[in-house]
Amino acid sequence: MKYGSSALLLALFLALAIAGPAVAPYNPLAYALADRLQPPSLHHWFGTDALGRDVFSRTLAAARTDLPAAAAAVILSSLIGVSVGAACGYLGGAIDRWVGRVVDVMMAFPLFVVAVALVAALGNSLTNVVLATAVINLPFYIRLVRAEIAARRQLGYVMAARLAGCGHGYIIGRVLIPNIAPIIAVQISLNLGWAVLNTSGLSFIGLGVRPPTPEWGALVSDGAQYLLTGQWWVALGPSLVLVLAVFAFTLIGDTAHDLFSPRSAR
Amino acid sequence: MNASLISFVLRRVLTVLPVLVGATVFTFVVMRLLPADPAAFLASGPGMGAADIAALRAKLGLDRSLPVQFGLYAWQLLHGDFGHSFVTGNPVALDLLQRLPASLELACGGLLIAAVIGMPLGIAAALRPGSLFDTACRALAVLGGALPGFVIGVFLIYLCYFKLSWAPEPTGQIDAALSAPRIVTGFLVIDSLLAGNMTAFASALGRMVLPSLTMALFALAPVMRMTRAAMVTALASDYIRSSRALGLPNRLVLRYALENAGAPLITMFGLIFSYMLGANVVVEKVFAWPGIGAYALDGLQAADYSAVQGFILVVAAVFAAVNLLVDLLCGWADPRIPRAA
Amino acid sequence: MQRRDVLLGSAAGAASAFLPRLQTRAEAASLDTLRELAEAGPNSRDPHGAGVASPSLGTFTNIYDRLINFGHTEIAPGIFKYDYTKFTGELAESFEVLDDGKRLRFHLRQSATFHDGSPVTAADVKWSFDRGVSLPGSKYQLATGSLTDPAQFVVVDPATFEIHLPRGDRYTLPNLALTFASILNSKLIQSHATASDPWGADWLRDNEAGGGAYRITNWQAGQRVTYTRFDDWKSGPAPALRQISFEVVPTAESRVAALEKGDADIALQLPPQDIAHIAADPHVHVVSIPVTNTFRFIAFDTQTAPFTDARVRQAIAYALPFEDILQAAVYGHGTPLFGAKSAQPKNAAFPQPYPYNTEIARARSLLAAAGHGRGFSTTLSYNVADNDTAEPIAILVQQALAPLNINVQIEKISAADWATRLTAKTVPFFIESSSAWFNDPDYFFRIFFQGNWRWNFGSFNNPDLAKLLTAARWETDPAKYDALMEKAVGIVFQQLPILPLWQPTFEAGFKPGLTNFIYYIHGQVDYRPLRWA
């Protein structure tokens, strides 16, 4: 059941990102002040926002912003993190110690504030939000991969590969990393959820995508200010979709974990 | 305390130093990468022009070369001087000292709630892995962590304060009309109890509830997940299996398993606590909580470099302290762990 | 076992504190206290300081005296607005304007003391002005009233003080009523001055040294300030409020909630979308006062192409849906500065409505005449801190310009960076709002339409305008002054370095029963006259 539901959710979100604009009932950018802050109805499933834009259409369109952004951030940090972590774990020695120190320092940082500072330093754009998200996730990958590789480098099959004359690059890339792929996959799917949440946190304090581009975090944080005056729908629709997205990513992580590690799937 | 413990602590404290030095360098560099000029920000008074901006830059020491600026900053840090905040007009060290307890109190409150709810659920789930209950618990925890903190916070304020009047006003740590208790620990809930001031205690505790709950929802998923994982591992260990095989009562088996899972659980709480301290920035903002996170955010928005640098350093130091504590506690909980750095 | 007991105990405690409704401010209210909630708090106690946040102006108003204060007029029952043309004595019992305004003589209240009990003397007054014209945070403002040199400030005797001016200046008295002219306890500050800091600026930032109606009895920067009445205050009728708690609540929703629940007596910086809903609440009294010295505008950098061409600026003005923008951004809570019928100024006042309406055909032809018939790309910027108002404006501008093939990218700039970018003039097209201390048009023009500084938002440089302003500065004949300024207004109408949109409304929520509120330019609360009915 779990495999089925996570696959279904994943498919749903991919479909949203690809077909969203085509099936959206309204132009997500078109404002109509006469229709501002209308409650959900047959015409506007999620209601309208303060500029009379259709919240449902904007939520659909936001999948095209958020999913690629989260994916890009995670791909970036996992690529760098896995390479650095694997090199350190495999080679050990002075490099490992120094990288370990740097990672220790990074882990000690209040990561959200570092992300805010990075976006402020690099300039306020979606690209830089992606970069900042990638940077703050980096230490987790390095630490994880380093530990896993270090634990495996003396194992029999690695020794065998080495005796067979395989180079270090081959051993890391073809032997060790495929072996820890399940662990990385779990981390990636968890990180996808974090990446979306991080983007939304940045939106809350005004950093992130350029208006009027729809983005889940921005939609939710815009909507939050209407909660008190009773216009709960501005935040509700995007919140539900955001929760569903983070939920889906985590579920996929769990599924991947179960699929790849035979011991816990017993 | 025996000599080996003291030398262990000393060695661990020494390993913290590179982290602090690294944090100092990194924050200094990142702050100097920011395009904002504090002097231009400050020169917002009527008629202040280029000459005044230059004068302000000189006064702030921003006209010197970066290495010199860093040297001066490091020298001041060594003397306990974190610089001066433009936003509050106070020395940064004083601001941080006053605000750190509020942040720690909130993180503790959140962690406590998360532990009280998350650990029993995690243990129960571990006892029946793969069951419907297990899946439901995990799904619930993930849902709690899937919403940004500010949404949960605003929603709780709307429901519990505005609509239902269950919770007190979401503005700070204690009702301003009450005189705050004498500062002993800095935790208002504890200080008011120590002072025997029950009105202040009720007010402080009441105001803790919503923000702690917001933080707890965030921490619930990791607490449950890791409790479950630690317990599954412990329950699968040979020694529990033998206990079971010997027919020991379930209650006793569970207790052994919990003791066995103690070290990983302590490590987890340490990690989550440090993470919460950095992540509660937005929650502090929503609840007007006078913590260091909201302070750092205000500082970033006002080009207040010393404030932000001070904040990052303090969080790094707390992180290191918590790690040290975790190591000591793990050693106490699990004597098998050797005290080697 | 012990650990578990602690856990259970505190959980039970939490539940009991949570469930029964706590006594709120509404139930505990008394008639001589006040609780005010605001978005941000004061950061200085030095009225001449640099980088002073606007809430500090409220602090200065209440903890320091000036020689004189503005008069005020009632605009609604119990609500007053400062009158910029009338002055009343504050620390000065009376004052005289002598020698055609070249000499101002002030008779100080003989019984007045500072908070530390020492008497207020003319020497303190002189020292305060000497300090004001020496420190960069205040000297430029005081200079607008010809107050520039310590030699101008003369102690006649301990109770008499004079200001000597090279010529009579209509801006001198208004400047004396601003917080920049606060009277400080000179001996106290001097005892904390150092060789590198002769004016004690570092000390005064963190301490108070005055004799105003209130003393600060608790100062938690960024969180709360407690003001307690100074019972020996002599410079006005004894204030009714004994204690005021000023609290910082950054989220607007929490301020609104506390106001509607009756937990706050005054809430400032109300979000425009909430005003209608709050005003309908019988437990809240919303005060709305049109602000005459602040305006919201779109600026063009007239030194950067394509905005160097006035026709491009005009084309943009003709393309904008002004009424929609006003509704979208502030729900109509503002005085329009667009839609004037005639291209000629109605009078010499400024800001006044500009003669621009939505006329797309005209926009197209102007753009074509400027050689941009095919459009262009540009970036429209605003300050992140200004997001609530500026984002809707930006979105509507972006969509309105698209049919002209003007491709607008919206850029949010961090609050910290905004001042830097405006000072360096690296934003060609942006949304901003600004204020001047006084309403006279020539004063406004000197700040916003000339000079090489941040406040000349359009980087405007027009020799004709400069001549008119120089002539108007010292013109004492009202008819001639108006004629000069009407011409000046005509120039900015046509040249359009900035495009004004509206003047905002000051909005505050009061608990019913609070009366005698006086609105001042700075939009902070003067606690001295306030009382509960």
Side-chain angles (χ1 to χ4, degrees):
Chain A
M1 192 196 91
K2 210 161 86 182
Y3 306 134
S5 54
S6 59
L8 199 72
L9 272 176
L10 182 66
L12 180 76
F13 275 102
L14 285 180
L16 265 187
I18 296 162
V23 296
Y26 293 87
N27 175 353
L29 305 183
Y31 68 88
L33 292 180
D35 293 334
R36 69 197 314 194
L37 296 172
Q38 294 295 311
S41 65
L42 281 178
H43 299 287
H44 299 286
W45 293 0
F46 287 180
T48 61
D49 70 2
L51 292 180
R53 295 175 292 192
D54 181 48
V55 178
F56 181 64
S57 303
R58 287 181 68 72
T59 309
L60 281 186
R64 275 210 172 173
T65 315
D66 281 276
L67 296 180
V74 169
I75 289 172
L76 205 63
S77 50
S78 60
L79 276 183
I80 300 174
V82 169
S83 332
V84 173
C88 290
Y90 184 78
L91 299 171
I95 297 176
D96 184 31
R97 272 203 303 281
W98 277 104
V99 172
R101 294 248 162 94
V102 172
V103 169
D104 280 348
V105 171
M106 283 176 84
M107 296 284 275
F109 283 153
L111 294 176
F112 182 72
V113 172
V114 170
V116 173
L118 283 175
V119 174
L122 299 171
N124 195 358
S125 71
L126 188 61
T127 318
N128 291 333
V129 168
V130 167
L131 279 177
T133 309
V135 168
I136 64 173
N137 280 332
L138 203 53
F140 296 96
Y141 286 97
I142 299 180
R143 183 170 272 200
L144 179 80
V145 173
R146 181 188 162 277
E148 296 292 337
I149 299 267
R152 281 169 175 74
R153 68 172 171 196
Q154 304 295 351
L155 290 184
Y157 61 88
V158 179
M159 291 301 197
R162 208 173 285 156
L163 287 175
C166 299
H168 294 317
Y170 183 89
I171 294 178
I172 294 177
R174 293 294 177 84
V175 178
L176 282 169
I177 290 181
N179 225 282
I180 59 164
I183 298 164
I184 300 173
V186 173
Q187 181 72 14
I188 283 179
S189 66
L190 283 176
N191 264 1
L192 278 171
W194 290 354
V196 176
L197 285 179
N198 191 54
T199 314
S200 77
L202 291 172
S203 291
F204 177 69
I205 55 167
L207 298 174
V209 293
R210 291 171 191 273
T213 313
E215 186 272 317
W216 287 330
L219 291 176
V220 172
S221 63
D222 282 353
Q225 50 182 315
Y226 294 95
L227 204 56
L228 217 58
T229 41
Q231 286 106 0
W232 44 268
W233 58 85
V234 190
L236 187 72
S239 299
L240 288 178
V241 175
L242 179 62
V243 169
L244 209 60
V246 177
F247 185 67
F249 291 138
T250 318
L251 206 60
I252 292 162
D254 272 11
T255 313
H257 183 82
D258 291 354
L259 273 180
F260 290 126
S261 55
R263 199 172 147 225
S264 68
R266 62 190 158 116
Chain B
M1 240 194 233
N2 57 35
S4 79
L5 185 66
I6 293 172
S7 85
F8 167 72
V9 172
L10 279 179
R11 263 183 290 135
R12 284 289 283 120
V13 168
L14 280 179
T15 60
V16 166
L17 281 179
V19 171
L20 292 184
V21 171
T24 311
V25 176
F26 176 85
T27 49
F28 182 86
V29 171
V30 168
M31 290 299 118
R32 293 316 186 272
L33 280 180
L34 293 180
D37 178 1
F41 187 86
L42 283 178
S44 59
M48 292 178 82
D52 302 293
I53 293 178
L56 270 171
R57 289 182 65 82
K59 185 163 184 275
L60 296 171
L62 294 171
D63 54 341
R64 308 192 189 198
S65 71
L66 280 186
V68 173
Q69 284 186 46
F70 180 74
L72 284 174
Y73 178 66
W75 182 248
Q76 286 176 341
L77 271 187
L78 285 177
H79 293 78
D81 179 1
F82 282 63
H84 218 97
S85 159
F86 319 141
V87 179
T88 63
N90 285 342
V92 172
L94 181 72
D95 279 339
L96 290 173
L97 209 64
Q98 283 177 348
R99 286 161 169 269
L100 182 62
S103 289
L104 292 177
E105 191 176 20
L106 193 56
C108 287
L111 200 59
L112 194 70
I113 297 180
V116 167
I117 301 173
M119 284 182 60
L121 289 180
I123 294 170
L127 290 174
R128 293 176 200 78
S131 68
L132 194 66
F133 178 77
D134 181 21
T135 316
C137 279
R138 280 158 85 181
L140 209 68
V142 170
L143 277 181
L147 256 188
F150 61 88
V151 181
I152 299 173
V154 173
F155 179 74
L156 286 178
I157 291 174
Y158 174 67
L159 194 71
C160 298
Y161 168 62
F162 193 65
K163 281 284 169 198
L164 301 173
S165 297
W166 284 356
E169 207 189 324
T171 51
Q173 270 183 299
I174 191 167
D175 188 338
L178 300 171
S179 53
R182 200 169 62 87
I183 307 283
V184 183
T185 59
F187 284 29
L188 282 190
V189 173
I190 296 176
D191 285 354
S192 53
L193 261 189
L194 288 179
N197 183 345
M198 291 319 284
T199 331
F201 173 71
S203 172
L205 193 61
R207 279 170 189 243
M208 279 278 294
V209 174
L210 291 191
S212 314
L213 206 60
T214 310
M215 302 278 296
L217 277 176
F218 172 79
L220 198 57
V223 167
M224 234 179 71
R225 188 194 307 273
M226 292 196 220
T227 307
R228 180 183 174 280
M231 283 301 286
V232 165
T233 315
L235 285 171
S237 68
D238 296 341
Y239 122 172
I240 295 294
R241 284 188 188 179
S242 350
S243 312
R244 271 199 175 145
L246 284 172
L248 287 180
N250 268 341
R251 201 164 40 85
L252 213 57
V253 173
L254 192 63
R255 205 181 128 188
Y256 286 150
L258 256 178
E259 274 175 6
N260 218 5
L265 286 183
I266 290 169
T267 312
M268 162 197 82
F269 278 118
L271 257 177
I272 295 177
F273 182 82
S274 314
Y275 192 66
M276 276 173 122
L277 200 61
N280 60 10
V281 172
V282 171
V283 177
E284 285 180 4
K285 204 83 192 149
V286 170
F287 287 93
W289 198 259
I292 51 172
Y295 176 69
L297 215 52
D298 288 345
L300 263 175
Q301 281 163 0
D304 198 353
Y305 296 163
S306 333
V308 185
Q309 283 166 245
F311 164 75
I312 295 182
L313 264 183
V314 163
V315 173
V318 171
F319 180 87
V322 168
N323 273 353
L324 179 60
L325 197 69
V326 162
D327 284 359
L328 288 175
L329 284 176
C330 282
W332 165 77
D334 189 346
R336 287 173 303 179
I337 297 174
R339 276 187 197 134
Chain C
M1 258 5 266
Q2 211 181 347
R3 202 183 309 166
R4 202 175 127 223
D5 287 343
V6 171
L7 288 181
L8 287 176
S10 59
S16 66
F18 195 51
L19 289 175
R21 192 166 170 229
L22 289 160
Q23 190 189 34
T24 62
R25 160 81 195 136
E27 289 145 339
S30 60
L31 288 180
D32 60 356
T33 62
L34 181 90
R35 181 159 180 257
E36 178 189 0
L37 305 185
E39 187 173 21
N43 66 343
S44 175
R45 280 148 274 191
D46 183 349
H48 308 135
V52 165
S54 61
S56 300
L57 301 172
T59 306
F60 304 152
T61 302
N62 290 296
I63 67 172
Y64 299 120
D65 279 347
R66 268 65 49 194
L67 289 172
I68 54 173
N69 192 6
F70 293 111
H72 51 263
T73 48
E74 188 159 17
I75 51 171
I79 306 295
F80 298 82
K81 188 178 176 185
Y82 76 101
D83 182 345
Y84 159 63
T85 58
K86 293 197 177 64
F87 300 94
T88 58
E90 193 165 283
L91 183 64
E93 208 161 26
S94 63
F95 65 97
E96 294 143 42
V97 179
L98 307 166
D99 302 346
D100 289 335
K102 284 196 213 162
R103 204 148 56 88
L104 306 175
R105 176 181 285 177
F106 301 87
H107 302 281
L108 309 184
R109 288 180 205 269
Q110 298 221 348
S111 53
T113 62
F114 289 114
H115 295 160
D116 66 1
S118 59
V120 182
T121 66
D124 291 299
V125 177
K126 173 176 168 51
W127 190 83
S128 304
F129 278 100
D130 290 355
R131 188 177 192 272
V133 298
S134 304
L135 291 174
S138 49
K139 70 177 183 186
Y140 299 101
Q141 180 56 41
L142 292 174
T144 64
S146 300
L147 305 168
T148 53
D149 182 357
Q152 291 175 280
F153 311 117
V154 179
V155 176
V156 178
D157 63 57
T160 315
F161 170 73
E162 280 191 359
I163 296 178
H164 297 174
L165 300 161
R167 63 207 283 190
D169 186 342
R170 61 177 173 277
Y171 293 123
T172 305
L173 283 175
N175 264 298
L176 296 182
L178 297 182
T179 55
F180 301 99
S182 295
I183 305 306
L184 306 170
N185 185 338
S186 65
K187 285 185 200 69
L188 182 59
I189 299 173
Q190 278 172 309
S191 72
H192 294 278
T194 61
S196 63
D197 181 20
W199 297 109
D202 287 338
W203 182 80
L204 190 59
R205 182 179 55 204
D206 304 334
N207 296 277
E208 60 162 323
Y214 287 90
R215 286 179 301 125
I216 292 169
T217 43
N218 180 16
W219 176 281
Q220 284 169 280
Q223 301 169 44
R224 69 173 51 132
V225 177
T226 308
Y227 297 95
T228 304
R229 186 171 57 203
F230 174 50
D231 288 325
D232 287 335
W233 189 56
K234 299 293 189 320
S235 303
L241 299 175
R242 182 181 47 82
Q243 188 154 309
I244 291 103
S245 176
F246 173 101
E247 291 172 52
V248 180
V249 179
T251 22
E253 294 80 59
S254 300
R255 290 196 299 277
V256 173
L259 185 67
E260 295 200 54
K261 300 281 289 181
D263 289 340
D265 299 323
I266 298 184
L268 299 181
Q269 293 95 31
L270 303 178
Q273 75 263 17
D274 288 352
I275 300 282
H277 151 88
I278 304 170
D281 186 335
H283 306 299
V284 183
H285 174 206
V286 173
V287 176
S288 287
I289 300 171
V291 176
T292 50
N293 65 318
T294 300
F295 64 129
R296 164 74 56 183
F297 57 89
I298 296 174
F300 309 98
D301 182 356
T302 57
Q303 307 302 315
T304 303
F307 301 114
T308 40
D309 190 325
R311 289 169 298 189
V312 172
R313 310 194 289 262
Q314 292 163 355
I316 289 175
Y318 280 122
L320 297 187
F322 291 102
E323 193 56 50
D324 279 359
I325 294 178
L326 178 60
Q327 287 300 328
V330 291
Y331 291 69
H333 291 264
T335 314
L337 289 177
F338 50 82
K341 293 278 176 291
S342 158
Q344 288 310 308
K346 200 168 69 179
N347 51 37
F350 198 84
Q352 62 170 298
Y354 273 43
Y356 292 91
N357 282 299
T358 321
E359 293 174 53
I360 290 291
R362 214 160 159 184
R364 277 187 210 286
S365 63
L366 278 165
L367 211 54
H372 288 288
R374 290 191 189 170
F376 56 87
S377 289
T378 186
T379 303
L380 177 60
S381 313
Y382 62 83
N383 182 348
V384 167
D386 196 17
N387 193 60
D388 288 351
T389 311
E391 184 182 315
I393 302 177
I395 289 171
L396 267 66
V397 168
Q398 184 187 46
Q399 294 200 10
L401 296 184
L404 299 178
N405 292 321
I406 300 177
N407 173 23
V408 177
Q409 270 236 344
I410 298 172
E411 181 189 30
K412 295 191 277 187
I413 295 179
S414 81
D417 203 12
W418 186 243
T420 312
R421 298 284 295 270
L422 289 193
T423 307
K425 304 276 179 197
T426 55
V427 272
F429 183 33
F430 59 94
I431 301 165
E432 176 63 309
S433 94
S434 195
S435 325
W437 282 101
F438 306 131
N439 288 333
D440 302 61
D442 73 304
Y443 184 84
F444 241 88
F445 271 65
R446 268 197 301 281
I447 295 176
F448 296 116
F449 295 114
Q450 68 175 26
N452 179 25
W453 61 14
R454 173 180 164 184
W455 318 107
N456 182 2
F457 294 103
S459 304
F460 195 47
N461 182 9
N462 184 303
D464 296 339
L465 185 68
K467 268 183 225 145
L468 291 171
L469 293 182
T470 314
R473 174 67 179 93
W474 301 105
E475 182 54 65
T476 48
D477 178 346
K480 284 186 188 158
Y481 176 84
D482 284 1
L484 289 168
M485 287 316 298
E486 265 188 49
K487 267 192 203 152
V489 175
I491 292 176
V492 296
F493 270 11
Q494 196 267 330
Q495 286 291 314
L496 214 63
I498 57 178
L499 173 61
L501 298 173
W502 60 79
Q503 292 186 285
T505 312
F506 168 84
E507 265 141 354
F510 285 19
K511 181 178 282 185
L514 194 63
T515 186
N516 249 18
F517 171 74
I518 305 180
Y519 167 78
Y520 286 101
I521 318 173
H522 47 59
Q524 304 295 325
V525 181
D526 182 351
Y527 306 125
R528 300 172 297 180
L530 275 181
R531 57 186 170 78
W532 292 99

